[in-house]
Amino acid sequence: MALSIVAPASAMDYIIGAKGGYYVWRPFLRDIPGSSFSTLESGTGALAGPIFGISFTNDITLSVSGLFGQQTAQWSTGNTYNEKEGKYESTTSYMQEQRYDIDTALSYQVIQGLRLFVGYKYQYLEVEWISSTRQAGDLTSMSVSDDEVEFKIPLQGISIGGSYVAPFSDLYFFSMTLSGIIMRGKFKYSSHEIRYRTFESTAIAGTPDSESDTFDMQQMGFNFEPAIGIRTGGPIITLGMRYQYLRSQFYNQEATSNDGPSDNWMNDHLYGVFMSVMFVL
């Protein structure tokens, strides 16, 4: 998709390159009703991947690109008094997300500079969330609760959109890509909790506690990528930004629920800046 917009290609040209950038992920997990995930902070980190393509004719191009990497976040909530428990609480949390995005696109040049495309999209997220909560009424009644939750979210679907390139000169150009995305897949989670009393090495009776479940999930939204670029005598280089917004839903859940997954729509945001380098062979 990206490579088909940066330069006109002749029939049977091959394009190879790479794309990388720094991104922020604001996870839809924060919007799950009645869950403790509402405290999740946005994850940040570098994402990068390869770009491949082939032009069958001057107007028809097939491209494949990937975006892989890890995004993390760590945060703490200050001391608060839990009236129900009669204790002070403090929590430290850590989130690590591993992302695998693969996009394919078959594009057709309608007029000079304007292309329409349709493609297959695969996305796999693996998220680990660790939270450690300390409670203290006095020195003799301190306890620690460690929660570990793992999410595995494989999704696949289609993207449909268009791209436009406007040259500033023989060297410099502006490009813009806008696409709609529809995906379906699974939302799998497992959790594990252990509670300890301070100064003791054994878990409190009744813990550890574990659970797991799987839900049907769908996402729909859009991806927007404006960029500026330069055609050198060798590589084609672009600098741009990406904003991806997806509405997420557990679509086989009960219509009304205030505790855990329901059919409520949730918001997922991914945005950042990137650079790509491509060669026409």
Side-chain angles (χ1 to χ4, degrees):
M1 186 192 311
L3 57 85
S4 66
I5 70 174
V6 297
S10 301
M12 298 311 295
D13 272 349
Y14 296 91
I15 304 175
I16 185 172
K19 179 179 180 180
Y22 192 81
Y23 294 87
V24 178
W25 180 49
R26 191 276 190 193
F28 69 89
L29 301 168
R30 295 173 55 174
D31 296 336
I32 296 178
S35 72
S36 59
F37 307 137
S38 60
T39 63
L40 284 172
E41 293 286 338
S42 297
T44 59
L47 301 175
I51 299 172
F52 302 100
I54 179 173
S55 57
F56 299 109
T57 71
N58 291 336
D59 297 325
I60 300 175
T61 301
L62 176 66
S63 65
V64 180
S65 61
L67 199 62
F68 315 115
Q70 187 179 98
Q71 295 171 295
T72 61
Q74 183 171 334
W75 66 99
S76 299
T77 56
N79 290 329
T80 58
Y81 184 71
N82 187 325
E83 295 183 1
K84 182 178 179 181
E85 298 286 341
K87 297 179 180 180
Y88 287 93
E89 292 183 349
S90 64
T91 302
T92 300
S93 302
Y94 174 78
M95 180 189 72
Q96 176 178 293
E97 174 238 5
Q98 195 73 34
R99 176 180 292 267
Y100 305 88
D101 276 358
I102 299 175
D103 292 280
T104 68
L106 182 64
S107 68
Y108 177 74
Q109 182 171 253
V110 181
I111 58 175
Q112 184 66 38
L114 177 63
R115 287 181 174 271
L116 300 179
F117 61 82
V118 60
Y120 167 79
K121 181 177 180 66
Y122 175 79
Q123 177 181 282
Y124 178 78
L125 304 180
E126 186 169 312
V127 184
E128 183 179 7
W129 175 55
I130 301 174
S131 180
S132 181
T133 300
R134 292 168 175 80
Q135 291 185 330
D138 53 52
L139 291 177
T140 62
S141 61
M142 297 177 65
S143 65
V144 177
S145 176
D146 290 331
D147 293 285
E148 297 184 15
V149 184
E150 184 179 60
F151 306 96
K152 294 183 178 180
I153 312 168
L155 299 165
Q156 59 182 331
I158 62 170
S159 62
I160 301 175
S163 61
Y164 181 71
V165 179
F168 295 142
S169 66
D170 291 339
L171 290 178
Y172 299 98
F173 62 91
F174 168 78
S175 68
M176 180 176 64
T177 302
L178 178 64
S179 61
I181 302 168
I182 300 176
M183 295 188 293
R184 281 194 168 188
K186 297 292 184 180
F187 176 88
K188 307 173 184 179
Y189 87 92
S190 60
S191 65
H192 186 72
E193 178 186 12
I194 303 179
R195 296 181 62 198
Y196 296 90
R197 289 191 180 91
T198 307
F199 311 124
E200 295 183 11
S201 59
T202 58
I204 296 175
T207 65
D209 182 32
S210 301
E211 64 175 331
S212 62
D213 210 339
T214 300
F215 302 93
D216 294 320
M217 185 176 178
Q218 63 183 356
Q219 289 187 326
M220 56 185 67
F222 67 87
N223 183 70
F224 177 59
E225 290 189 13
I228 57 173
I230 179 173
R231 298 184 180 97
T232 68
I236 301 165
I237 302 172
T238 64
L239 297 173
M241 63 167 289
R242 177 183 182 181
Y243 175 61
Q244 178 178 281
Y245 171 69
L246 295 172
R247 294 274 283 169
S248 307
Q249 183 193 43
F250 302 111
Y251 61 90
N252 278 335
Q253 300 303 303
E254 294 181 1
T256 57
S257 175
N258 294 317
D259 184 15
S262 70
D263 72 341
N264 294 329
W265 286 97
M266 302 163 288
N267 299 309
D268 190 271
H269 304 264
L270 179 71
Y271 54 91
V273 295
F274 67 85
M275 181 177 75
S276 67
V277 179
M278 288 162 281
F279 297 86
V280 179
L281 306 178

